[in-house]
């Protein structure tokens, strides 16, 4: 079945990802891209309007076609934009030389601050950033499993 093959491909790519990899890691950008591609494979013939370049545009078209629930689609679009924003900001503050996956744990607090996170006084900048990142990644992975009909 197509969805099982897509899940297998996704798991193989994830197996080679470094810890914290925003693109290839669990719940990362590739999860969202795989959702778009899987829905395109399953419904593209009947709904050619969903076959557009770019993940954000494809998510919008999938919602417009009724193939992706608007709440789920909005969650995916928000997660995609957040993950891309973090990826780009980390790269910019490190002059293109590093990603979050290559940073030492001791460097993450200063990186969170450099990309705009501030301590609340009760919670560190890193804790706030990590909470937001974890939320998006867990939600994205759950939605990928729903779309691909994966148990557990």
């Amino acid at each position: 079945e197509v969805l099982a093959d897509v899940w297998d491909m996704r798991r193989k790519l994830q197996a080679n990802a470094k810890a914290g990899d925003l693109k290839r890691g669990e719940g990362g950008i590739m999860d969202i891209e795989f959702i778009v591609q899987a829905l395109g494979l399953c419904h593209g013939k009947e709904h050619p309007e969903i076959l557009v370049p770019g993940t954000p545009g494809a998510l919008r078209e999938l919602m417009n076609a009724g193939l992706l629930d608007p709440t789920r689609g909005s969650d995916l679009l928000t997660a995609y934009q957040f993950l891309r924003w973090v990826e780009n900001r980390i790269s910019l503050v490190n002059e293109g030389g590093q990603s979050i996956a290559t940073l030492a744990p001791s460097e993450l607090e200063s990186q969170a601050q450099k990309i705009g996170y501030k301590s609340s006084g009760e919670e560190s900048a890193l804790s706030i950033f990590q909470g937001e990142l974890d939320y998006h990644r867990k939600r994205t992975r759950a939605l990928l499993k729903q779309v691909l009909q994966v148990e557990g």
Side-chain angles (χ1 to χ4, degrees), residues 80-126:
Y80 183 82
Q81 291 167 333
F82 173 76
L83 293 168
R84 284 288 188 200
W85 178 84
V86 170
E87 182 181 62
N88 290 333
R89 293 291 293 201
I90 294 287
S91 180
L92 284 172
V93 300
N94 290 294
E95 298 174 6
Q98 287 192 313
S99 72
I100 197 168
T102 61
L103 293 171
S106 60
E107 297 174 296
L108 287 175
E109 178 77 32
S110 68
Q111 292 300 308
Q113 292 171 354
K114 286 179 183 177
I115 65 170
Y117 284 83
K118 304 292 179 220
S119 171
S120 68
E122 295 176 14
E123 198 171 359
S124 71
L126 178 58

Side-chain angles (χ1 to χ4, degrees), residues 15-152:
N16 295 320
K18 294 179 183 178
D21 189 327
L22 294 178
K23 183 156 182 74
R24 291 175 190 83
E26 183 173 332
I29 293 165
M30 277 190 160
D31 275 16
I32 301 166
E33 293 169 344
F34 269 71
I35 289 169
V36 167
Q37 295 302 317
L39 291 172
L41 284 169
C42 292
H43 303 288
K45 190 171 184 177
E46 303 85 33
H47 297 277
E49 70 277 9
I50 68 173
L51 303 175
V52 298
T55 301
L59 287 168
R60 287 185 197 95
E61 290 302 326
L62 287 163
M63 288 186 281
N64 290 340
L67 299 170
L68 186 60
D69 172 79
T71 301
R72 290 181 178 146
S74 293
D75 285 350
L76 289 168
L77 187 56
T78 300
Y80 183 82
Q81 291 167 333
F82 173 76
L83 293 168
R84 284 288 188 200
W85 178 84
V86 170
E87 182 181 62
N88 290 333
R89 293 291 293 201
I90 294 287
S91 180
L92 284 172
V93 300
N94 290 294
E95 298 174 6
Q98 287 192 313
S99 72
I100 197 168
T102 61
L103 293 171
S106 60
E107 297 174 296
L108 287 175
E109 178 77 32
S110 68
Q111 292 300 308
Q113 292 171 354
K114 286 179 183 177
I115 65 170
Y117 284 83
K118 304 292 179 220
S119 171
S120 68
E122 295 176 14
E123 198 171 359
S124 71
L126 178 58
S127 178
I128 295 167
F129 166 70
Q130 197 65 55
E132 194 170 346
L133 180 61
D134 290 348
Y135 169 80
H136 287 297
R137 293 184 82 161
K138 286 176 184 171
R139 181 77 175 130
T140 295
R141 178 47 60 106
L143 291 171
L144 175 68
K145 285 182 168 184
Q146 286 175 5
V147 168
L148 298 182
Q149 301 170 6
V150 174
E151 298 287 322

